Amino acid sequence: MKNLMIELKNVSKSFTYSENKSDNLKKVLIGFSKLKFRLMGKKTIQVLSDLNLKIHQGEFVGIMGRNGVGKSTLLKIISGIYSPTEGQVYVHGKIAPLLELGAGFADELSGYENIFLNGAILGYNRQKIQDRLDDIIAFTDLGDKIQMPVRNYSSGMLVRLGFSIAAHLDAPILLFDEILAVGDVGFQEKCLNKIDQLYKSGKTIVLVTHSPEQVKMFCNRCIVFDNHRVIYDGPTHSGIDAYLKVF
Amino acid sequence: MSQPLQGQSSAFQSNKIQNMVDLFCPYHKFLVFNLVQRNLKLKYKKSVLGFLWSFISPATTALVYYVVFKHVMKVSIPNYLTFILMGILPWNFLLTCLGAGLDSLVTNHNLLNKIPLPIHALPLAECLSAIINFTFSLPVILVVALLLHVPITWGYLLIPFFLFLLFLQSFSYALLLGVGFVYFKDLRHAVSVTIQLLFYFTPILYKVEMVPESFRGFVYLNPLSMIFSSMNQIASEGIIPSPIQFLHATFATVVVFTIAYFTFKKHQYKVIESL
């Protein structure tokens, strides 16, 4: 029985916001003085409902679904950025997430310095990052541009840097959120090869994608979301059909 | 190595002491170090000048207060200059922690909601940078003390202890501000006003004994008061703080820190979502 890496139990996530947002001390105090104790119209957006999920070591899970259905939120909950409104999340192992382009980069620092910053954010110490530094830089193929401030990077360069860091820092769990859309053909191929390598070395990978080809290529398990719920969780080939049926 | 359990809805983990230590980011030491290093580099890029500018402002304020209170109002506190310096400079440290702590969360909101990061690392790094900056100004106070022939007693060795308590309280207030920001985006204005008032409720410009008995309770209610009164009496007369001062300062710090810890833990995810 392989190790359980990620577990979600009855996880629900909703965001609330009030229409007459009294997030202003001045408004609240004025409201009191005018004896206006009106209830703020609260709107709740349910993003995930009662989700139960178990992911074991070595699995390569593809997550698919329409835009806005909760896939990114799921990854954010797994990586610890958001906390579930209900339910519990258990994660056993360090996560290297690649959730958004340029996430975790400080604009004014160079690519080189950002490698250290990003590594530090993910909880690695200087030595570990130093050990992998050469591999990371070599993989990006950015050459001298690594010394440029990140604010001047194109989206393709950002994804090269971000992916390289996540792929080389040796975290047991990798989360990729639609990141392979950007990047030129050469890099895409490099990426796919590297992902293959990581998968073969036993990493647990969760990939959110809109590309059935990518899912077919790698994933042994496919989860399809619709209406904030899982409508399919099983082997890839039927998963792709389920995804296409959603449209 | 298994990372500590993440995101359990609103359930607290069982080991509270361990979790209090988590507020100091033991798993992200390099991150905090990196952030502090960046802050300091930015400040000291122009070497000594960078430090001077941040010292000149509170030092000038202290000088003005000195002239007004010593020579105009004729307050009868011995060695008033060191008395004041040892009040204004730490107060400035507190202000920096609050301002920079909140700013660090606001300016980095993009970072915080796209990559998993212990958000308290940011205000922690700001408070650490601030205390390091403050430490550089301590020799100046020492020099002033020497020039004024202030008795330098063993009491001076106790100042780091009170600074440590002040650091814990300042970090706590920074965290509380961060949480407050979730609910009131214009908290900054309310806090500015409160801080100005609080300044006068803290024995920085005066000694506690000088406050009429009927008001003294307010000063004692202020968790910062015994920290400041201890430090300025050491700096001006070399008097070692009494056990009551020690106990009050320590107890107040523990209470403030505990409140900050529970409040922050409860609301920390909301902070990210509302930034």
Side-chain angles (χ1 to χ4, degrees), chain B residues 153-155 158 230 233-234 238-242 245-246:
Chain B
T153 63
W154 293 116
L158 292 170
S230 302
Q233 81 189 32
I234 296 174
I239 302 176
I240 303 213
S242 69
Q245 283 174 303
F246 267 104

Side-chain angles (χ1 to χ4, degrees), chain B residues 10-239:
Chain B
S10 58
F12 289 130
Q13 295 168 14
S14 49
N15 192 344
K16 301 269 192 330
I17 306 284
Q18 175 60 42
N19 294 331
M20 287 207 184
V21 172
D22 280 346
L23 269 186
F24 295 99
C25 303
Y27 294 103
H28 289 87
K29 288 195 269 256
F30 182 47
L31 173 63
V32 176
F33 174 79
N34 207 304
L35 292 170
V36 172
Q37 194 183 45
R38 266 211 287 162
N39 271 339
L40 294 179
K41 261 199 209 155
L42 254 135
K43 209 176 188 58
Y44 296 97
K45 236 202 265 192
K46 295 156 192 163
S47 71
V48 195
L49 273 136
F51 157 70
L52 270 179
W53 288 125
S54 65
F55 174 73
I56 281 181
S57 168
T60 319
T61 316
L63 208 60
V64 169
Y65 278 123
Y66 170 72
V67 169
V68 169
F69 285 94
K70 182 72 172 179
H71 295 290
V72 174
M73 313 270 285
K74 306 230 194 303
V75 76
S76 63
I77 297 178
N79 300 317
Y80 197 56
L81 189 55
T82 41
F83 184 89
I84 279 231
L85 278 174
M86 204 43 139
I88 301 267
L89 290 172
W91 183 259
N92 213 63
F93 158 72
L94 169 64
L95 289 182
T96 313
C97 285
L98 294 178
L102 189 56
D103 278 342
S104 68
L105 291 176
V106 175
T107 39
N108 289 303
H109 73 275
N110 269 319
L111 192 72
L112 294 170
N113 75 60
K114 288 167 193 177
I115 195 162
L117 161 60
I119 67 174
H120 44 282
L122 292 155
L124 178 63
E126 296 295 330
C127 292
L128 284 171
S129 315
I131 197 97
I132 293 178
N133 282 324
F134 174 79
T135 316
F136 290 144
S137 56
L138 278 178
V140 181
I141 303 182
L142 209 57
V143 166
V144 172
L146 285 168
L147 289 175
L148 293 180
H149 305 292
V150 171
I152 311 254
T153 63
W154 293 116
Y156 271 75
L157 291 174
L158 292 170
I159 290 185
F161 171 71
F162 288 101
L163 284 176
F164 173 66
L165 292 181
L166 180 60
F167 173 80
L168 286 178
Q169 284 202 32
S170 305
F171 180 45
S172 307
Y173 298 132
L175 292 178
L176 286 171
L177 259 193
V179 173
F181 188 75
V182 173
Y183 299 99
F184 301 111
K185 295 285 189 299
D186 63 347
L187 193 64
R188 191 171 257 133
H189 306 290
V191 169
S192 290
V193 172
T194 317
I195 284 280
Q196 284 184 350
L197 288 177
L198 198 66
F199 178 75
Y200 292 101
F201 276 101
T202 320
I204 295 177
L205 297 172
Y206 54 83
K207 283 192 190 179
V208 185
E209 299 86 76
M210 294 162 81
V211 180
E213 298 241 6
S214 39
F215 293 143
R216 225 175 278 177
F218 288 113
V219 176
Y220 283 120
L221 268 178
N222 179 354
L224 295 163
S225 56
M226 290 298 116
I227 296 180
F228 280 89
S229 74
S230 302
M231 290 199 295
N232 56 32
Q233 81 189 32
I234 296 174
S236 62
E237 292 173 88
I239 302 176

Side-chain angles (χ1 to χ4, degrees), chain A residues 13 15 23-26 76 79-81 83-84 87 89-90 97 100 103-104 108 118 120-121 123-124 126 129, chain B residues 3 5-9 27-28 30-31 33 38 111-116 183-186 190 269 272-273:
Chain A
K13 180 66 186 163
F15 291 102
D23 64 346
N24 201 298
L25 191 57
K26 189 176 76 174
K76 285 189 180 176
S79 60
I81 297 174
S83 169
V89 184
Y90 298 95
E100 266 189 57
E108 75 279 7
N118 220 303
I121 290 177
Y124 292 92
R126 179 187 291 279
I129 302 173
Chain B
Q3 224 173 2
L5 291 175
Q6 298 185 37
Q8 287 187 284
S9 53
Y27 294 103
H28 289 87
F30 182 47
L31 173 63
F33 174 79
R38 266 211 287 162
L111 192 72
L112 294 170
N113 75 60
K114 288 167 193 177
I115 195 162
Y183 299 99
F184 301 111
K185 295 285 189 299
D186 63 347
Y269 288 103
I272 302 179
E273 288 170 30

